[in-house]
Amino acid sequence: EFVGDPEYDAHFDLSGGEAQMAMLDACMAVARRRDLVIGSASSGLAWKADEPNARCWMRAFKEYTLGLHSSFPVPSKYFYGYLHHFLSESKYSHFGQDIGLAKTALGRDYLKWTRATFKSVMMEDLGSVEAYQARGGQRGPFKHLLPEYTKWEALVLELTSAAPPSMRSLRQTCDSWVRAITEVEAAIGISVGCAFGAILLFTASLRLACLATCNLAAIVTTLLGVFYLLSWEIGSVEAVTLTILVGCSVDYCLHITEAFIHIPTAIGIPVASSAFTTFTASVPLIFCTIQVLSKFGVLMSGTILLSALFSFAFFSALLCTFGPPALEGSKSHVDDMMYNENHL
């Protein structure tokens, strides 16, 4: 799945001696953190092809250049020549997956990106998030993984502050971080709970608040089903968007609830007009080249459609069937609001 083009640091340059030493020192510093990574602190760093716990090509590159009776760090003008020869050796060819070589318009070599990989002690403890939950651990991985994420971020900040200007774009990433930080179950639950409280406050009716919350839950469930059909995973964009869209979804049914209680007048046309303008404003976002905006546009427009459909059909039926009979608004009241020949 295409998720967008990466943005590279135009100032990144590993050909200089200071930058080469900075990367090697960073690898060694991470390898020594036994509280973060699996590896041998006594040996400094395991870099071999059959070592799954840590891999840093700069250490192997240093061994390679010293084996040729050359110096390390390699002088800038010879760096790419040595690097090509290094990767052509069968012993070191597997490091090609960690080195993003490219060419300029004039055909000169340059390094767009590079990486070193380490196996975290966190995953040794958990195995995986799914396995951790299956073993009957805590409710979710967030409380366990957040301290680990904080320690990694602190280490990256420390290494970046000591790096030369050409190495200031250091980042750390892990597949578990997105799921750990964006615990959407709790976020959606809190959002729906807040919506329930707001409806209860504005309507002063527990029954109406429960009916509106059922409508809201149906919208969110349908939206999650759309995620499944589109093969979308709930990442940072989806998690943030879902919490926003819960507020958008409750708006229309809240207007209908208010009219059901107090205002025996048309509500269909204003609510439909509001849904139409919001939907129209969301559609252009779908065609953005920035994937975050494009996905937000899809989610927003889809939510507006679902909210309007559920509010006019499902929620109105709930009010007609289960609405409080003692209120000024009655079952026929909803019929008058929604289906009068002069109203929508």
Side-chain angles (χ1 to χ4, degrees):
E1 181 187 359
F2 178 73
V3 295
D5 296 318
E7 294 185 3
Y8 298 101
D9 181 5
H11 303 289
F12 176 66
D13 183 10
L14 204 56
S15 62
E18 190 178 7
Q20 295 173 48
M21 288 301 303
M23 180 174 178
L24 180 61
D25 292 342
C27 288
M28 301 297 288
V30 175
R32 286 192 291 267
R33 290 292 299 268
R34 298 304 305 276
D35 60 322
L36 292 178
V37 300
I38 302 171
S40 173
S42 59
S43 63
L45 182 65
W47 58 263
K48 296 179 181 179
D50 57 354
E51 174 54 63
N53 296 333
R55 188 173 69 238
C56 180
W57 67 270
M58 188 58 75
R59 178 179 170 90
F61 185 64
K62 176 183 178 181
E63 178 189 272
Y64 172 75
T65 56
L66 294 180
L68 296 177
H69 304 289
S70 184
S71 61
F72 183 87
V74 176
S76 178
K77 61 181 179 180
Y78 301 127
F79 175 75
Y80 289 107
Y82 273 91
L83 186 58
H84 279 292
H85 285 291
F86 167 74
L87 294 176
S88 66
E89 294 281 341
S90 59
K91 181 180 180 180
Y92 305 111
S93 60
H94 63 280
F95 288 115
Q97 63 185 305
D98 299 329
I99 301 172
L101 279 172
K103 289 187 178 293
T104 66
L106 299 177
R108 298 180 60 182
D109 290 315
Y110 76 100
L111 199 60
K112 296 179 69 174
W113 60 271
T114 188
R115 70 179 180 183
T117 60
F118 302 89
K119 185 175 182 180
S120 171
V121 294
M122 165 192 71
M123 299 316 295
E124 183 181 57
D125 293 337
L126 300 184
S128 68
V129 172
E130 291 78 11
Y132 173 69
Q133 293 174 331
R135 288 198 299 267
Q138 301 178 33
R139 170 155 166 59
F142 178 76
K143 292 177 65 176
H144 190 93
L145 298 185
L146 183 58
E148 300 298 320
Y149 174 82
T150 303
K151 287 193 290 185
W152 275 102
E153 283 293 290
L155 177 58
V156 168
L157 182 62
E158 176 186 340
L159 296 175
T160 302
S161 62
S166 60
M167 285 279 292
R168 293 287 170 83
S169 55
L170 181 63
R171 299 288 186 272
Q172 64 89 17
T173 184
C174 175
D175 292 340
S176 298
W177 296 153
V178 173
R179 294 189 61 185
I181 298 175
T182 57
E183 284 292 319
V184 288
E185 300 99 349
I188 294 175
I190 292 172
S191 299
V192 173
C194 290
F196 173 82
I199 298 170
L200 182 61
L201 177 65
F202 294 144
T203 63
S205 171
L206 180 61
R207 184 182 298 188
L208 287 176
C210 291
L211 294 178
T213 304
C214 288
N215 181 70
L216 185 60
I219 295 171
V220 174
T221 303
T222 304
L223 192 61
L224 293 175
V226 173
F227 279 23
Y228 176 79
L229 293 177
L230 295 177
S231 299
W232 284 1
E233 295 183 356
I234 300 180
S236 55
V237 177
E238 293 82 0
V240 173
T241 304
L242 276 172
T243 57
I244 296 173
L245 296 183
V246 168
C248 297
S249 302
V250 76
D251 186 43
Y252 306 132
C253 65
L254 187 57
H255 284 302
I256 294 175
T257 302
E258 183 70 12
F260 179 83
I261 300 174
H262 299 298
I263 311 171
T265 185
I267 196 64
I269 290 178
V271 171
S273 299
S274 174
F276 176 75
T277 54
T278 307
F279 174 80
T280 305
S282 304
V283 169
L285 290 175
I286 299 175
F287 304 100
C288 290
T289 56
I290 301 175
Q291 293 296 302
V292 173
L293 297 179
S294 177
K295 188 168 288 188
F296 182 80
V298 172
L299 294 175
M300 176 63 81
S301 57
T303 300
I304 297 304
L305 284 175
L306 289 173
S307 300
L309 290 174
F310 272 90
S311 296
F312 287 133
F314 178 67
F315 185 60
S316 296
L318 286 179
L319 288 178
C320 290
T321 307
F322 303 107
L327 292 176
E328 180 184 352
S330 63
K331 299 177 184 181
S332 60
H333 181 185
V334 178
D335 295 336
D336 291 340
M337 286 193 300
M338 307 307 296
Y339 302 109
N340 187 287
E341 62 180 359
N342 295 322
H343 305 149
L344 181 64

